[in-house]
Amino acid sequence: MKLYEFQEKLREKSDVVTTMPTQVGSNTGKSNGRVFYPIGYGADPTGVRDSSDSILAALMDAGTLQNGLDLLPGITDLGGIIIDFQGGNFRIGQPIRFPPGVGNIVVKGGSLRASNTFPDDRHLIELWSPNSRKGSKTDEYPNSLFPRKDLNNGMYYEDITFRDILFDSSYRGGGLFVVDSARIRVNNCFFIHFNTEGILVERGHETFISSSFLGQHPTIGGDRGERDYTGTGIDLASTDNAVTDVAIFSAATGIILRGLANIITGVHCYNKATYFGGVGILVKAAQTRITDSYLDYNSIVIEDPSQVHVSNGFFLGDGNVVLKSTSGRISGLNIINNMFCGDPKHTIPIVKLDGEFTSIDQVVVDHNNVNGMSLKSTVGKMTVAGVGTRWMADFSSTLLFPNKINHVQYALYTLGGMVAGFPTHAVTNISNNVVLIESEKGVDGVISVFADQHNMVGEGNFVM
């Protein structure tokens, strides 16, 4: 009896502890400390009923817990508030738009799926303020980071993390829209069934996208409907962003870079094959770095390259780099230390010119290795042997740009002993990427020639 009475007292104390509210809303399941649960606000984790209003209510309540601290001007530091979806599967009929001026928030752990009433031109989650100007400001970006002005103002969100979330757009609009925001993180997320963009970032700085997957249609490659893929996996119309360890498995375009100083590393693009008109990565802005990435049957297309770096990549299935001329200018381009593998029956060039370039400055395409594709480079080395007075080194099949050689070095070796008197010899013609070397006397000789198409800074093109 004493043991029974003791157990009853413990149970009563336990009931008191579990029913005591720790904070406003916790007794209804809405929150616990500074963690907010949309399910407690009436969101349906089974995905049967629309949960838009409930999720927005949880978000608005979370935004009221201010502590007087700020991040950037006008952005409240909410102290690490968490919106926890608790693994629910929520159907929404309207975008979940964050109130402007908030920061230091984590949103995690569930699935959002667009209902059949979701707008076709919106995104499941949106970070945008009514004070933000409509449209992209990419036209305002010069091809230089300087002069820099005060960029602290005009930001409406900072330090917001999206983690472990599945964004299912149900072929109605896109997944995530970020505008005029700083230091946003997207980690371990999954984006499917988008018609516009999986992720769209406009203006702002430093959105980091990592360890995530994006695809319009579920597939692991070789999809019969691949030629009909549309939409874009990631569209970055802002500066200083990073995309790291991301796979884009179906979309017309994997990544579009419309802002300055973005870095892409460890990305696998096997979205829509170039053969069907797809693009892996489309570069439309300067100061871009693409490293350690895998272009799987599709290409990197760079418009009027300006300080663009592509290195340590693997290009499979005739994937290559296409330099597209819009104004005919290239200024600063490195394509180095990459591997290319394709079908030898096609002999696709590893770097292809699309249009004519009239101004070419500081371009290095070198140290790439090739299997089953046509090697292109801005550097050529060749040895030619023969008896006579003329030796011709033809680099036209290797050098990237037509009729352009900037530097030539050569050596002449005579075989079978010295002839009477040392023969005078010289480069007598350079045209159409062919170097002609002649001597005054006929000899049994070998020429070794080095030629490149690399303009140094401020250097003109003195030889052709």
Side-chain angles (χ1 to χ4, degrees), residues 296-333:
D296 195 344
Y297 282 79
N298 53 30
S299 303
I300 297 174
V301 178
I302 311 172
E303 297 183 357
D304 285 344
S306 177
Q307 290 194 303
V308 176
H309 180 89
V310 180
S311 68
N312 300 326
F314 176 47
F315 294 75
L316 181 65
D318 292 334
N320 63 353
V321 179
V322 178
L323 308 182
K324 184 177 179 62
S325 174
T326 59
S327 63
R329 177 178 174 81
I330 301 179
S331 180
L333 173 65

PDB file of all heavy atoms in Angstrom, residues 296-333:
ATOM      1  N   ASP A 296      27.136  16.696 -66.764  1.00  0.00           N
ATOM      2  CA  ASP A 296      26.780  15.352 -67.193  1.00  0.00           C
ATOM      3  C   ASP A 296      25.859  15.436 -68.416  1.00  0.00           C
ATOM      4  O   ASP A 296      24.660  15.654 -68.282  1.00  0.00           O
ATOM      5  CB  ASP A 296      26.079  14.653 -66.019  1.00  0.00           C
ATOM      6  CG  ASP A 296      25.975  13.165 -66.170  1.00  0.00           C
ATOM      7  OD1 ASP A 296      26.157  12.667 -67.290  1.00  0.00           O
ATOM      8  OD2 ASP A 296      25.693  12.490 -65.153  1.00  0.00           O
ATOM      9  N   TYR A 297      26.448  15.336 -69.615  1.00  0.00           N
ATOM     10  CA  TYR A 297      25.727  15.445 -70.880  1.00  0.00           C
ATOM     11  C   TYR A 297      25.185  16.853 -71.137  1.00  0.00           C
ATOM     12  O   TYR A 297      24.301  17.028 -71.962  1.00  0.00           O
ATOM     13  CB  TYR A 297      24.583  14.416 -70.975  1.00  0.00           C
ATOM     14  CG  TYR A 297      25.069  13.027 -71.308  1.00  0.00           C
ATOM     15  CD1 TYR A 297      25.635  12.213 -70.332  1.00  0.00           C
ATOM     16  CD2 TYR A 297      24.989  12.542 -72.602  1.00  0.00           C
ATOM     17  CE1 TYR A 297      26.100  10.939 -70.631  1.00  0.00           C
ATOM     18  CE2 TYR A 297      25.444  11.266 -72.920  1.00  0.00           C
ATOM     19  CZ  TYR A 297      26.001  10.471 -71.927  1.00  0.00           C
ATOM     20  OH  TYR A 297      26.468   9.211 -72.232  1.00  0.00           O
ATOM     21  N   ASN A 298      25.670  17.832 -70.422  1.00  0.00           N
ATOM     22  CA  ASN A 298      25.309  19.207 -70.758  1.00  0.00           C
ATOM     23  C   ASN A 298      26.487  20.135 -70.541  1.00  0.00           C
ATOM     24  O   ASN A 298      27.568  19.713 -70.127  1.00  0.00           O
ATOM     25  CB  ASN A 298      24.056  19.682 -70.004  1.00  0.00           C
ATOM     26  CG  ASN A 298      24.160  19.494 -68.514  1.00  0.00           C
ATOM     27  OD1 ASN A 298      25.244  19.537 -67.947  1.00  0.00           O
ATOM     28  ND2 ASN A 298      23.032  19.286 -67.860  1.00  0.00           N
ATOM     29  N   SER A 299      26.306  21.404 -70.827  1.00  0.00           N
ATOM     30  CA  SER A 299      27.435  22.316 -71.003  1.00  0.00           C
ATOM     31  C   SER A 299      27.371  23.507 -70.067  1.00  0.00           C
ATOM     32  O   SER A 299      26.324  23.829 -69.495  1.00  0.00           O
ATOM     33  CB  SER A 299      27.467  22.823 -72.456  1.00  0.00           C
ATOM     34  OG  SER A 299      27.546  21.747 -73.363  1.00  0.00           O
ATOM     35  N   ILE A 300      28.506  24.171 -69.958  1.00  0.00           N
ATOM     36  CA  ILE A 300      28.580  25.502 -69.366  1.00  0.00           C
ATOM     37  C   ILE A 300      28.573  26.502 -70.524  1.00  0.00           C
ATOM     38  O   ILE A 300      29.408  26.412 -71.424  1.00  0.00           O
ATOM     39  CB  ILE A 300      29.853  25.680 -68.528  1.00  0.00           C
ATOM     40  CG1 ILE A 300      29.852  24.710 -67.337  1.00  0.00           C
ATOM     41  CG2 ILE A 300      29.983  27.115 -68.038  1.00  0.00           C
ATOM     42  CD1 ILE A 300      31.144  24.732 -66.533  1.00  0.00           C
ATOM     43  N   VAL A 301      27.633  27.428 -70.514  1.00  0.00           N
ATOM     44  CA  VAL A 301      27.555  28.469 -71.532  1.00  0.00           C
ATOM     45  C   VAL A 301      27.891  29.803 -70.862  1.00  0.00           C
ATOM     46  O   VAL A 301      27.269  30.180 -69.871  1.00  0.00           O
ATOM     47  CB  VAL A 301      26.155  28.536 -72.175  1.00  0.00           C
ATOM     48  CG1 VAL A 301      26.083  29.673 -73.194  1.00  0.00           C
ATOM     49  CG2 VAL A 301      25.812  27.208 -72.839  1.00  0.00           C
ATOM     50  N   ILE A 302      28.896  30.498 -71.419  1.00  0.00           N
ATOM     51  CA  ILE A 302      29.358  31.757 -70.833  1.00  0.00           C
ATOM     52  C   ILE A 302      29.173  32.866 -71.859  1.00  0.00           C
ATOM     53  O   ILE A 302      29.759  32.812 -72.948  1.00  0.00           O
ATOM     54  CB  ILE A 302      30.836  31.679 -70.406  1.00  0.00           C
ATOM     55  CG1 ILE A 302      31.094  30.418 -69.567  1.00  0.00           C
ATOM     56  CG2 ILE A 302      31.236  32.925 -69.626  1.00  0.00           C
ATOM     57  CD1 ILE A 302      32.560  30.172 -69.273  1.00  0.00           C
ATOM     58  N   GLU A 303      28.391  33.858 -71.521  1.00  0.00           N
ATOM     59  CA  GLU A 303      28.153  34.983 -72.419  1.00  0.00           C
ATOM     60  C   GLU A 303      29.194  36.074 -72.172  1.00  0.00           C
ATOM     61  O   GLU A 303      29.350  36.541 -71.043  1.00  0.00           O
ATOM     62  CB  GLU A 303      26.741  35.535 -72.221  1.00  0.00           C
ATOM     63  CG  GLU A 303      25.642  34.532 -72.564  1.00  0.00           C
ATOM     64  CD  GLU A 303      24.259  35.131 -72.420  1.00  0.00           C
ATOM     65  OE1 GLU A 303      24.155  36.309 -72.003  1.00  0.00           O
ATOM     66  OE2 GLU A 303      23.275  34.424 -72.708  1.00  0.00           O
ATOM     67  N   ASP A 304      29.903  36.473 -73.244  1.00  0.00           N
ATOM     68  CA  ASP A 304      30.928  37.522 -73.157  1.00  0.00           C
ATOM     69  C   ASP A 304      31.736  37.395 -71.856  1.00  0.00           C
ATOM     70  O   ASP A 304      31.655  38.248 -70.970  1.00  0.00           O
ATOM     71  CB  ASP A 304      30.288  38.908 -73.226  1.00  0.00           C
ATOM     72  CG  ASP A 304      29.838  39.259 -74.630  1.00  0.00           C
ATOM     73  OD1 ASP A 304      30.282  38.589 -75.583  1.00  0.00           O
ATOM     74  OD2 ASP A 304      29.050  40.196 -74.778  1.00  0.00           O
ATOM     75  N   PRO A 305      32.534  36.351 -71.717  1.00  0.00           N
ATOM     76  CA  PRO A 305      33.211  36.088 -70.437  1.00  0.00           C
ATOM     77  C   PRO A 305      34.030  37.272 -69.943  1.00  0.00           C
ATOM     78  O   PRO A 305      34.782  37.895 -70.704  1.00  0.00           O
ATOM     79  CB  PRO A 305      34.119  34.897 -70.774  1.00  0.00           C
ATOM     80  CG  PRO A 305      33.470  34.245 -71.948  1.00  0.00           C
ATOM     81  CD  PRO A 305      32.858  35.346 -72.741  1.00  0.00           C
ATOM     82  N   SER A 306      33.879  37.583 -68.672  1.00  0.00           N
ATOM     83  CA  SER A 306      34.660  38.625 -68.023  1.00  0.00           C
ATOM     84  C   SER A 306      35.063  38.128 -66.649  1.00  0.00           C
ATOM     85  O   SER A 306      34.215  37.973 -65.761  1.00  0.00           O
ATOM     86  CB  SER A 306      33.843  39.918 -67.903  1.00  0.00           C
ATOM     87  OG  SER A 306      34.571  40.902 -67.207  1.00  0.00           O
ATOM     88  N   GLN A 307      36.334  37.808 -66.486  1.00  0.00           N
ATOM     89  CA  GLN A 307      36.872  37.252 -65.250  1.00  0.00           C
ATOM     90  C   GLN A 307      36.041  36.046 -64.790  1.00  0.00           C
ATOM     91  O   GLN A 307      35.379  36.069 -63.757  1.00  0.00           O
ATOM     92  CB  GLN A 307      36.945  38.323 -64.158  1.00  0.00           C
ATOM     93  CG  GLN A 307      38.024  39.361 -64.436  1.00  0.00           C
ATOM     94  CD  GLN A 307      38.337  40.222 -63.237  1.00  0.00           C
ATOM     95  OE1 GLN A 307      37.446  40.856 -62.694  1.00  0.00           O
ATOM     96  NE2 GLN A 307      39.588  40.258 -62.829  1.00  0.00           N
ATOM     97  N   VAL A 308      36.106  35.000 -65.602  1.00  0.00           N
ATOM     98  CA  VAL A 308      35.424  33.743 -65.306  1.00  0.00           C
ATOM     99  C   VAL A 308      36.470  32.644 -65.204  1.00  0.00           C
ATOM    100  O   VAL A 308      37.385  32.568 -66.022  1.00  0.00           O
ATOM    101  CB  VAL A 308      34.384  33.404 -66.391  1.00  0.00           C
ATOM    102  CG1 VAL A 308      33.747  32.043 -66.114  1.00  0.00           C
ATOM    103  CG2 VAL A 308      33.309  34.485 -66.459  1.00  0.00           C
ATOM    104  N   HIS A 309      36.308  31.783 -64.217  1.00  0.00           N
ATOM    105  CA  HIS A 309      37.278  30.718 -63.953  1.00  0.00           C
ATOM    106  C   HIS A 309      36.534  29.385 -63.911  1.00  0.00           C
ATOM    107  O   HIS A 309      35.587  29.216 -63.140  1.00  0.00           O
ATOM    108  CB  HIS A 309      37.976  30.979 -62.619  1.00  0.00           C
ATOM    109  CG  HIS A 309      38.984  29.937 -62.256  1.00  0.00           C
ATOM    110  ND1 HIS A 309      40.309  30.015 -62.643  1.00  0.00           N
ATOM    111  CD2 HIS A 309      38.874  28.786 -61.537  1.00  0.00           C
ATOM    112  CE1 HIS A 309      40.970  28.967 -62.169  1.00  0.00           C
ATOM    113  NE2 HIS A 309      40.121  28.203 -61.508  1.00  0.00           N
ATOM    114  N   VAL A 310      36.971  28.431 -64.745  1.00  0.00           N
ATOM    115  CA  VAL A 310      36.403  27.083 -64.769  1.00  0.00           C
ATOM    116  C   VAL A 310      37.562  26.098 -64.603  1.00  0.00           C
ATOM    117  O   VAL A 310      38.456  26.050 -65.455  1.00  0.00           O
ATOM    118  CB  VAL A 310      35.660  26.806 -66.092  1.00  0.00           C
ATOM    119  CG1 VAL A 310      35.082  25.388 -66.081  1.00  0.00           C
ATOM    120  CG2 VAL A 310      34.558  27.835 -66.317  1.00  0.00           C
ATOM    121  N   SER A 311      37.548  25.313 -63.529  1.00  0.00           N
ATOM    122  CA  SER A 311      38.680  24.413 -63.290  1.00  0.00           C
ATOM    123  C   SER A 311      38.257  23.149 -62.565  1.00  0.00           C
ATOM    124  O   SER A 311      37.225  23.102 -61.885  1.00  0.00           O
ATOM    125  CB  SER A 311      39.773  25.129 -62.481  1.00  0.00           C
ATOM    126  OG  SER A 311      39.330  25.385 -61.164  1.00  0.00           O
ATOM    127  N   ASN A 312      39.081  22.117 -62.735  1.00  0.00           N
ATOM    128  CA  ASN A 312      38.947  20.842 -62.020  1.00  0.00           C
ATOM    129  C   ASN A 312      37.570  20.216 -62.190  1.00  0.00           C
ATOM    130  O   ASN A 312      37.073  19.538 -61.291  1.00  0.00           O
ATOM    131  CB  ASN A 312      39.252  21.028 -60.527  1.00  0.00           C
ATOM    132  CG  ASN A 312      40.648  21.528 -60.284  1.00  0.00           C
ATOM    133  OD1 ASN A 312      41.576  21.190 -61.008  1.00  0.00           O
ATOM    134  ND2 ASN A 312      40.817  22.376 -59.280  1.00  0.00           N
ATOM    135  N   GLY A 313      36.956  20.422 -63.343  1.00  0.00           N
ATOM    136  CA  GLY A 313      35.646  19.846 -63.595  1.00  0.00           C
ATOM    137  C   GLY A 313      35.731  18.582 -64.415  1.00  0.00           C
ATOM    138  O   GLY A 313      36.756  18.254 -65.023  1.00  0.00           O
ATOM    139  N   PHE A 314      34.615  17.847 -64.457  1.00  0.00           N
ATOM    140  CA  PHE A 314      34.491  16.658 -65.288  1.00  0.00           C
ATOM    141  C   PHE A 314      33.279  16.841 -66.191  1.00  0.00           C
ATOM    142  O   PHE A 314      32.167  17.087 -65.715  1.00  0.00           O
ATOM    143  CB  PHE A 314      34.335  15.408 -64.426  1.00  0.00           C
ATOM    144  CG  PHE A 314      34.115  14.148 -65.215  1.00  0.00           C
ATOM    145  CD1 PHE A 314      34.911  13.845 -66.311  1.00  0.00           C
ATOM    146  CD2 PHE A 314      33.113  13.257 -64.864  1.00  0.00           C
ATOM    147  CE1 PHE A 314      34.719  12.685 -67.051  1.00  0.00           C
ATOM    148  CE2 PHE A 314      32.909  12.091 -65.594  1.00  0.00           C
ATOM    149  CZ  PHE A 314      33.720  11.815 -66.688  1.00  0.00           C
ATOM    150  N   PHE A 315      33.514  16.729 -67.505  1.00  0.00           N
ATOM    151  CA  PHE A 315      32.465  16.904 -68.496  1.00  0.00           C
ATOM    152  C   PHE A 315      32.250  15.560 -69.191  1.00  0.00           C
ATOM    153  O   PHE A 315      33.146  15.059 -69.864  1.00  0.00           O
ATOM    154  CB  PHE A 315      32.860  17.966 -69.516  1.00  0.00           C
ATOM    155  CG  PHE A 315      32.989  19.355 -68.952  1.00  0.00           C
ATOM    156  CD1 PHE A 315      34.091  19.706 -68.179  1.00  0.00           C
ATOM    157  CD2 PHE A 315      32.014  20.309 -69.195  1.00  0.00           C
ATOM    158  CE1 PHE A 315      34.224  20.987 -67.659  1.00  0.00           C
ATOM    159  CE2 PHE A 315      32.132  21.592 -68.687  1.00  0.00           C
ATOM    160  CZ  PHE A 315      33.239  21.932 -67.908  1.00  0.00           C
ATOM    161  N   LEU A 316      31.061  15.005 -69.052  1.00  0.00           N
ATOM    162  CA  LEU A 316      30.760  13.682 -69.595  1.00  0.00           C
ATOM    163  C   LEU A 316      29.746  13.808 -70.737  1.00  0.00           C
ATOM    164  O   LEU A 316      28.923  14.718 -70.766  1.00  0.00           O
ATOM    165  CB  LEU A 316      30.187  12.779 -68.497  1.00  0.00           C
ATOM    166  CG  LEU A 316      29.828  11.342 -68.888  1.00  0.00           C
ATOM    167  CD1 LEU A 316      31.067  10.550 -69.272  1.00  0.00           C
ATOM    168  CD2 LEU A 316      29.078  10.648 -67.759  1.00  0.00           C
ATOM    169  N   GLY A 317      29.815  12.864 -71.681  1.00  0.00           N
ATOM    170  CA  GLY A 317      28.800  12.780 -72.722  1.00  0.00           C
ATOM    171  C   GLY A 317      28.776  13.963 -73.663  1.00  0.00           C
ATOM    172  O   GLY A 317      27.706  14.490 -73.987  1.00  0.00           O
ATOM    173  N   ASP A 318      29.957  14.409 -74.109  1.00  0.00           N
ATOM    174  CA  ASP A 318      30.095  15.562 -75.001  1.00  0.00           C
ATOM    175  C   ASP A 318      29.759  16.884 -74.324  1.00  0.00           C
ATOM    176  O   ASP A 318      29.543  17.895 -74.995  1.00  0.00           O
ATOM    177  CB  ASP A 318      29.239  15.416 -76.267  1.00  0.00           C
ATOM    178  CG  ASP A 318      29.727  14.314 -77.185  1.00  0.00           C
ATOM    179  OD1 ASP A 318      30.940  14.008 -77.129  1.00  0.00           O
ATOM    180  OD2 ASP A 318      28.918  13.754 -77.940  1.00  0.00           O
ATOM    181  N   GLY A 319      29.673  16.899 -73.014  1.00  0.00           N
ATOM    182  CA  GLY A 319      29.524  18.170 -72.305  1.00  0.00           C
ATOM    183  C   GLY A 319      30.761  19.026 -72.520  1.00  0.00           C
ATOM    184  O   GLY A 319      31.885  18.527 -72.510  1.00  0.00           O
ATOM    185  N   ASN A 320      30.570  20.335 -72.711  1.00  0.00           N
ATOM    186  CA  ASN A 320      31.711  21.199 -72.989  1.00  0.00           C
ATOM    187  C   ASN A 320      31.456  22.602 -72.471  1.00  0.00           C
ATOM    188  O   ASN A 320      30.483  22.852 -71.752  1.00  0.00           O
ATOM    189  CB  ASN A 320      32.013  21.218 -74.499  1.00  0.00           C
ATOM    190  CG  ASN A 320      30.883  21.807 -75.330  1.00  0.00           C
ATOM    191  OD1 ASN A 320      29.800  22.097 -74.824  1.00  0.00           O
ATOM    192  ND2 ASN A 320      31.121  21.982 -76.624  1.00  0.00           N
ATOM    193  N   VAL A 321      32.348  23.521 -72.825  1.00  0.00           N
ATOM    194  CA  VAL A 321      32.200  24.930 -72.469  1.00  0.00           C
ATOM    195  C   VAL A 321      31.935  25.700 -73.758  1.00  0.00           C
ATOM    196  O   VAL A 321      32.710  25.585 -74.722  1.00  0.00           O
ATOM    197  CB  VAL A 321      33.454  25.478 -71.771  1.00  0.00           C
ATOM    198  CG1 VAL A 321      33.260  26.965 -71.427  1.00  0.00           C
ATOM    199  CG2 VAL A 321      33.759  24.680 -70.506  1.00  0.00           C
ATOM    200  N   VAL A 322      30.865  26.469 -73.777  1.00  0.00           N
ATOM    201  CA  VAL A 322      30.495  27.257 -74.947  1.00  0.00           C
ATOM    202  C   VAL A 322      30.675  28.731 -74.613  1.00  0.00           C
ATOM    203  O   VAL A 322      30.143  29.219 -73.609  1.00  0.00           O
ATOM    204  CB  VAL A 322      29.035  26.993 -75.369  1.00  0.00           C
ATOM    205  CG1 VAL A 322      28.653  27.871 -76.557  1.00  0.00           C
ATOM    206  CG2 VAL A 322      28.836  25.522 -75.693  1.00  0.00           C
ATOM    207  N   LEU A 323      31.456  29.439 -75.444  1.00  0.00           N
ATOM    208  CA  LEU A 323      31.660  30.872 -75.270  1.00  0.00           C
ATOM    209  C   LEU A 323      30.737  31.577 -76.255  1.00  0.00           C
ATOM    210  O   LEU A 323      30.937  31.513 -77.472  1.00  0.00           O
ATOM    211  CB  LEU A 323      33.117  31.241 -75.535  1.00  0.00           C
ATOM    212  CG  LEU A 323      34.159  30.431 -74.752  1.00  0.00           C
ATOM    213  CD1 LEU A 323      35.561  30.933 -75.063  1.00  0.00           C
ATOM    214  CD2 LEU A 323      33.884  30.481 -73.253  1.00  0.00           C
ATOM    215  N   LYS A 324      29.727  32.254 -75.717  1.00  0.00           N
ATOM    216  CA  LYS A 324      28.692  32.864 -76.554  1.00  0.00           C
ATOM    217  C   LYS A 324      28.930  34.370 -76.661  1.00  0.00           C
ATOM    218  O   LYS A 324      29.023  35.070 -75.648  1.00  0.00           O
ATOM    219  CB  LYS A 324      27.310  32.590 -75.964  1.00  0.00           C
ATOM    220  CG  LYS A 324      26.155  33.108 -76.809  1.00  0.00           C
ATOM    221  CD  LYS A 324      24.826  32.733 -76.182  1.00  0.00           C
ATOM    222  CE  LYS A 324      23.650  33.250 -76.992  1.00  0.00           C
ATOM    223  NZ  LYS A 324      23.620  32.670 -78.338  1.00  0.00           N
ATOM    224  N   SER A 325      29.010  34.851 -77.877  1.00  0.00           N
ATOM    225  CA  SER A 325      29.253  36.271 -78.115  1.00  0.00           C
ATOM    226  C   SER A 325      27.937  37.034 -78.169  1.00  0.00           C
ATOM    227  O   SER A 325      27.048  36.709 -78.954  1.00  0.00           O
ATOM    228  CB  SER A 325      30.020  36.460 -79.428  1.00  0.00           C
ATOM    229  OG  SER A 325      30.133  37.833 -79.729  1.00  0.00           O
ATOM    230  N   THR A 326      27.830  38.052 -77.296  1.00  0.00           N
ATOM    231  CA  THR A 326      26.693  38.975 -77.388  1.00  0.00           C
ATOM    232  C   THR A 326      27.152  40.371 -77.786  1.00  0.00           C
ATOM    233  O   THR A 326      26.450  41.080 -78.497  1.00  0.00           O
ATOM    234  CB  THR A 326      25.925  39.035 -76.063  1.00  0.00           C
ATOM    235  OG1 THR A 326      26.805  39.467 -75.008  1.00  0.00           O
ATOM    236  CG2 THR A 326      25.338  37.676 -75.710  1.00  0.00           C
ATOM    237  N   SER A 327      28.356  40.754 -77.321  1.00  0.00           N
ATOM    238  CA  SER A 327      28.941  42.026 -77.765  1.00  0.00           C
ATOM    239  C   SER A 327      30.341  41.832 -78.332  1.00  0.00           C
ATOM    240  O   SER A 327      31.026  42.790 -78.653  1.00  0.00           O
ATOM    241  CB  SER A 327      28.989  43.030 -76.598  1.00  0.00           C
ATOM    242  OG  SER A 327      29.824  42.550 -75.560  1.00  0.00           O
ATOM    243  N   GLY A 328      30.785  40.550 -78.419  1.00  0.00           N
ATOM    244  CA  GLY A 328      32.051  40.242 -79.061  1.00  0.00           C
ATOM    245  C   GLY A 328      33.282  40.481 -78.219  1.00  0.00           C
ATOM    246  O   GLY A 328      34.370  40.677 -78.764  1.00  0.00           O
ATOM    247  N   ARG A 329      33.143  40.420 -76.888  1.00  0.00           N
ATOM    248  CA  ARG A 329      34.281  40.740 -76.029  1.00  0.00           C
ATOM    249  C   ARG A 329      34.520  39.633 -75.004  1.00  0.00           C
ATOM    250  O   ARG A 329      33.591  39.113 -74.394  1.00  0.00           O
ATOM    251  CB  ARG A 329      34.029  42.068 -75.309  1.00  0.00           C
ATOM    252  CG  ARG A 329      35.113  42.461 -74.333  1.00  0.00           C
ATOM    253  CD  ARG A 329      34.819  43.811 -73.683  1.00  0.00           C
ATOM    254  NE  ARG A 329      35.780  44.127 -72.640  1.00  0.00           N
ATOM    255  CZ  ARG A 329      36.982  44.632 -72.852  1.00  0.00           C
ATOM    256  NH1 ARG A 329      37.371  44.884 -74.093  1.00  0.00           N
ATOM    257  NH2 ARG A 329      37.808  44.900 -71.860  1.00  0.00           N
ATOM    258  N   ILE A 330      35.807  39.288 -74.828  1.00  0.00           N
ATOM    259  CA  ILE A 330      36.245  38.416 -73.739  1.00  0.00           C
ATOM    260  C   ILE A 330      37.363  39.137 -73.007  1.00  0.00           C
ATOM    261  O   ILE A 330      38.327  39.602 -73.627  1.00  0.00           O
ATOM    262  CB  ILE A 330      36.781  37.062 -74.246  1.00  0.00           C
ATOM    263  CG1 ILE A 330      35.714  36.313 -75.042  1.00  0.00           C
ATOM    264  CG2 ILE A 330      37.236  36.200 -73.068  1.00  0.00           C
ATOM    265  CD1 ILE A 330      36.199  34.984 -75.584  1.00  0.00           C
ATOM    266  N   SER A 331      37.245  39.214 -71.693  1.00  0.00           N
ATOM    267  CA  SER A 331      38.284  39.852 -70.894  1.00  0.00           C
ATOM    268  C   SER A 331      38.479  39.082 -69.600  1.00  0.00           C
ATOM    269  O   SER A 331      37.741  39.263 -68.629  1.00  0.00           O
ATOM    270  CB  SER A 331      37.911  41.305 -70.580  1.00  0.00           C
ATOM    271  OG  SER A 331      38.921  41.922 -69.809  1.00  0.00           O
ATOM    272  N   GLY A 332      39.448  38.178 -69.609  1.00  0.00           N
ATOM    273  CA  GLY A 332      39.740  37.410 -68.409  1.00  0.00           C
ATOM    274  C   GLY A 332      38.962  36.108 -68.364  1.00  0.00           C
ATOM    275  O   GLY A 332      37.803  36.080 -67.957  1.00  0.00           O
ATOM    276  N   LEU A 333      39.581  35.009 -68.801  1.00  0.00           N
ATOM    277  CA  LEU A 333      38.921  33.705 -68.801  1.00  0.00           C
ATOM    278  C   LEU A 333      39.954  32.614 -68.600  1.00  0.00           C
ATOM    279  O   LEU A 333      40.944  32.542 -69.324  1.00  0.00           O
ATOM    280  CB  LEU A 333      38.177  33.482 -70.124  1.00  0.00           C
ATOM    281  CG  LEU A 333      37.574  32.088 -70.343  1.00  0.00           C
ATOM    282  CD1 LEU A 333      36.465  31.806 -69.341  1.00  0.00           C
ATOM    283  CD2 LEU A 333      37.051  31.944 -71.771  1.00  0.00           C
TER     284      LEU A 333
END
